[in-house]
Amino acid sequence: MVPESIRRAGVPEATVGRLPLYLRALTTLHDQGITSIASEELASRSGVRSTQLRKDLSHLGSYGVRGVGYDVELLAAQIAQELGLTQEWPVVIVGMGNLGRALAAYGGFSGRGFRIVALVDDDPEVVGTLVEGLRVMTLADLAAKGPTVAIGVITTPAPAAQTVAQNLVRMGVRSILNFAPGHLNVPDGVDVRGVDLATELQILAFHEQRRLLAVSTHDPLQEGTDSEAMG
Amino acid sequence: MVPESIRRAGVPEATVGRLPLYLRALTTLHDQGITSIASEELASRSGVRSTQLRKDLSHLGSYGVRGVGYDVELLAAQIAQELGLTQEWPVVIVGMGNLGRALAAYGGFSGRGFRIVALVDDDPEVVGTLVEGLRVMTLADLAAKGPTVAIGVITTPAPAAQTVAQNLVRMGVRSILNFAPGHLNVPDGVDVRGVDLATELQILAFHEQRRLLAVSTHDPLQEGTDSEAMG
DNA sequence: ATGACTTTGTGAACGCTTGCACAAAGTCGC
DNA sequence: GCGACTTTGTGCAAGCGTTCACAAAGTCAT
Ligand SMILES: NC(=O)c1ccc[n+]([C@@H]2O[C@H](COP(=O)([O-])OP(=O)(O)OC[C@H]3O[C@@H](n4cnc5c(N)ncnc54)[C@H](O)[C@@H]3O)[C@@H](O)[C@H]2O)c1
Ligand SMILES: NC(=O)c1ccc[n+]([C@@H]2O[C@H](COP(=O)([O-])OP(=O)(O)OC[C@H]3O[C@@H](n4cnc5c(N)ncnc54)[C@H](O)[C@@H]3O)[C@@H](O)[C@H]2O)c1
């Protein structure tokens, strides 16, 4: 086996992106009372190939038993540790509009390694009100007397996002999830992930158009983005 | 130049994922009255390297002018055409909860190639009510007497998502944007894109933990996910 | 204990993506 | 017109990610 110090540094980015997928599937299995699972079955439930699953898991170490499979609980714990979910990360949501309120109301944070500890807006009508049991504050309040936060979620209109990001970075936040469209300029060492609805829809539109074009020209061009059959 | 028939089939998937980025930047530039832009500047505003931008654009053809740059309006039109945004794609949102309502209220659909033509829920309390000027219907209603839809957006709880997806596929939808956590099993030829909040946060947590670990062990391990300096 | 069987873990091959280096093709001042 | 300068478009090489093929390592029935 590879030494711990080396393998820690060497988890490929693509693998990191799939670990949450596996963890989710394992959690579901655990809830169903299943204690052991083979890579083939776990891969199928995660939407990846079994070879890829095994290669991914091999980067965290050898937690499987040949001839049997993986212990659901043990593997889940290992992935959770690798992702840093043994502690609860404090999260702030900035922008209490439609989307921000939906996220605040969403129950999927707690119990999964995250806790919303602050809600922020700059509208005087909104600041001071209670949303989901938390009092909405301004960014200045958060910096001055708010709780420490590790992750910032931005759900303001696009023009405000860059300024909000700078303020978050100034108060020590180095992980940002941005729902506003557009690219954020941040210093080195700050991690920004963007979720953009328009981008996702436009990628779907591209493939949709290509499919229609292929059919209309009787071009036997196969798409095949997912080989699983429907039940 | 490469013949049209060949280049059409050959736009790499990674490029498709970035075209919406460029289109957004170009739209902003157009709104600011800027008519021409060099790859260096456009790349910077899109958060990619200029060589990558040029390579991406080269897959759609030669629309730049050497020594000058790209005509903003022309390039935007070309990208829009490539993405299939010259027509308006009819969209249905299934699941009128917090998230579904936020999406329905979101103005970023129309004018960008998409139009919400139907809203669906299965709660008798919700079906029949008006949301954003549209009357909420059931999936059965949509199949029987609703408008044709090309893209389905799923914002139901996770356990319902698979069934909803099957129903959408049965009525001809081949592009699905899924906000519910979990993998959807769909037949070949159906395109599913998943947006999962928990996944995004967990990826951020992984990097956050790695940064903290690196600092605490005085390991000069650089992160450097974005080289742009903040203004 | 043994042999048949199952499943993992991984080296190697392959394909896709990115980044480099540079020629080609234009503009602009004079 | 012409030379200096700017910027695009692209062949090529390096790096990354996925898939294949298979040995290694276990289980299980007998
Ligand atoms: N609603 C959606 O479904 C949806 C989908 C995709 C993307 N988005 C994006 O998410 C963002 C939010 O969308 P929304 O529909 O909730 O918008 P919204 O207008 O309902 O809410 C925006 C909120 O941000 C607050 N705000 C504005 N500037 C601020 C600042 N500088 N500091 C703190 N708070 C500030 C406003 O007071 C408001 O409460 C937008 O950028 C939108 O493009 C929304
Ligand atoms: N709210 C968020 O911020 C958020 C964030 C990330 C992911 N999600 C996911 O998005 C989904 C929706 O979240 P939400 O907070 O809006 O939930 P919600 O409970 O507020 O809304 C779900 C809606 O779906 C409807 N529904 C249930 N079964 C249905 C069916 N078979 N057909 C049609 N409609 C059905 C319900 O009646 C309800 O109106 C969930 O899967 C959630 O995990 C939500």
Side-chain angles (χ1 to χ4, degrees):
Chain A
M1 302 305 146
V2 182
E4 174 108 352
S5 58
I6 290 180
R7 87 164 167 69
R8 255 294 152 81
V11 181
E13 197 53 37
T15 295
V16 174
R18 284 185 295 267
L19 289 180
L21 223 68
Y22 306 148
L23 182 56
R24 198 170 51 198
L26 286 168
T27 305
T28 303
L29 287 166
H30 182 68
D31 291 348
Q32 293 170 355
I34 297 169
T35 60
S36 176
I37 188 147
S39 66
E40 195 67 52
E41 176 71 12
L42 180 55
S44 152
R45 290 175 184 242
S46 305
V48 302
R49 306 240 168 248
S50 65
T51 56
Q52 183 159 71
L53 170 66
R54 290 201 300 275
K55 176 79 82 182
D56 282 342
L57 295 184
S58 78
H59 289 116
L60 338 182
S62 290
Y63 298 110
V65 180
R66 296 175 191 223
V68 176
Y70 300 88
D71 181 86
V72 171
E73 211 159 338
L74 173 65
L75 186 56
Q78 287 301 331
I79 294 178
Q81 180 176 42
E82 191 71 32
L83 289 173
L85 305 180
T86 48
Q87 56 191 294
E88 286 227 311
W89 298 99
V91 176
V92 59
I93 302 178
V94 184
M96 283 293 106
N98 290 312
L99 186 57
R101 283 165 199 275
L103 292 180
Y106 180 52
F109 282 98
S110 41
R112 290 177 189 272
F114 306 93
R115 188 186 335 207
I116 302 176
V117 297
L119 301 177
V120 167
D121 206 294
D122 75 340
D123 185 341
E125 297 271 311
V126 177
V127 174
T129 62
L130 279 179
V131 174
E132 301 290 325
L134 281 174
R135 198 163 295 280
V136 178
M137 58 179 78
T138 64
L139 269 178
D141 287 342
L142 180 63
K145 53 183 164 53
T148 305
V149 298
I151 300 177
V153 177
I154 299 180
T155 55
T156 65
Q162 177 65 47
T163 305
V164 169
Q166 285 171 1
N167 280 305
L168 288 176
V169 168
R170 203 162 293 144
M171 63 181 79
V173 174
R174 283 186 296 185
S175 297
I176 294 176
L177 184 54
N178 180 32
F179 282 88
H183 174 248
L184 293 182
N185 267 355
V186 294
D188 265 25
V190 177
D191 202 359
V192 176
R193 296 190 64 86
V195 176
D196 185 11
L197 183 69
T199 297
E200 299 299 325
L201 287 175
Q202 286 172 7
I203 295 172
L204 284 174
F206 171 83
H207 292 300
E208 185 78 23
Q209 174 178 246
R210 232 168 66 102
R211 258 193 304 264
L212 293 180
L213 229 65
V215 169
S216 71
T217 58
H218 274 277
D219 196 336
L221 200 57
Q222 286 299 28
E223 190 61 13
T225 55
D226 197 334
S227 62
E228 304 262 315
M230 192 170 67
Chain B
M1 302 305 146
V2 182
E4 177 108 354
S5 57
I6 290 180
R7 89 164 166 71
R8 255 295 151 82
V11 182
E13 196 55 35
T15 295
V16 174
R18 283 185 296 266
L19 288 181
L21 224 68
Y22 307 149
L23 182 56
R24 196 170 52 195
L26 287 167
T27 304
T28 304
L29 287 166
H30 182 69
D31 291 349
Q32 293 170 354
I34 298 170
T35 59
S36 177
I37 187 145
S39 65
E40 196 67 49
E41 175 72 12
L42 181 55
S44 152
R45 290 175 184 244
S46 305
V48 302
R49 307 242 165 245
S50 65
T51 57
Q52 183 160 68
L53 170 66
R54 290 201 300 275
K55 176 85 79 181
D56 282 342
L57 295 183
S58 78
H59 290 116
L60 340 179
S62 290
Y63 298 111
V65 180
R66 296 175 192 224
V68 175
Y70 300 89
D71 182 87
V72 170
E73 209 159 341
L74 172 65
L75 185 56
Q78 288 301 333
I79 294 178
Q81 180 176 43
E82 192 70 33
L83 289 173
L85 305 180
T86 50
Q87 56 189 295
E88 285 228 313
W89 298 97
V91 175
V92 60
I93 300 177
V94 184
M96 283 294 107
N98 290 313
L99 186 57
R101 283 166 200 273
L103 292 179
Y106 181 54
F109 282 98
S110 41
R112 290 177 189 271
F114 306 93
R115 189 184 335 206
I116 301 175
V117 297
L119 301 177
V120 167
D121 206 293
D122 74 340
D123 184 342
E125 296 272 309
V126 177
V127 174
T129 62
L130 278 180
V131 174
E132 301 290 323
L134 281 174
R135 198 163 294 280
V136 178
M137 58 178 78
T138 63
L139 268 177
D141 287 343
L142 180 63
K145 52 183 165 54
T148 304
V149 298
I151 299 177
V153 176
I154 299 180
T155 55
T156 65
Q162 178 64 48
T163 305
V164 168
Q166 285 171 1
N167 279 306
L168 288 175
V169 168
R170 203 163 292 145
M171 64 181 77
V173 174
R174 283 185 295 183
S175 297
I176 293 176
L177 184 54
N178 180 32
F179 283 87
H183 174 248
L184 293 181
N185 267 355
V186 294
D188 265 23
V190 177
D191 202 359
V192 177
R193 296 189 64 86
V195 175
D196 184 12
L197 183 68
T199 297
E200 299 298 326
L201 285 175
Q202 286 172 9
I203 294 172
L204 284 175
F206 171 84
H207 293 299
E208 186 77 24
Q209 173 177 247
R210 230 167 68 104
R211 258 192 304 264
L212 292 181
L213 229 65
V215 169
S216 72
T217 57
H218 275 276
D219 196 336
L221 200 58
Q222 287 298 28
E223 190 63 12
T225 55
D226 196 334
S227 61
E228 304 262 315
M230 192 171 66

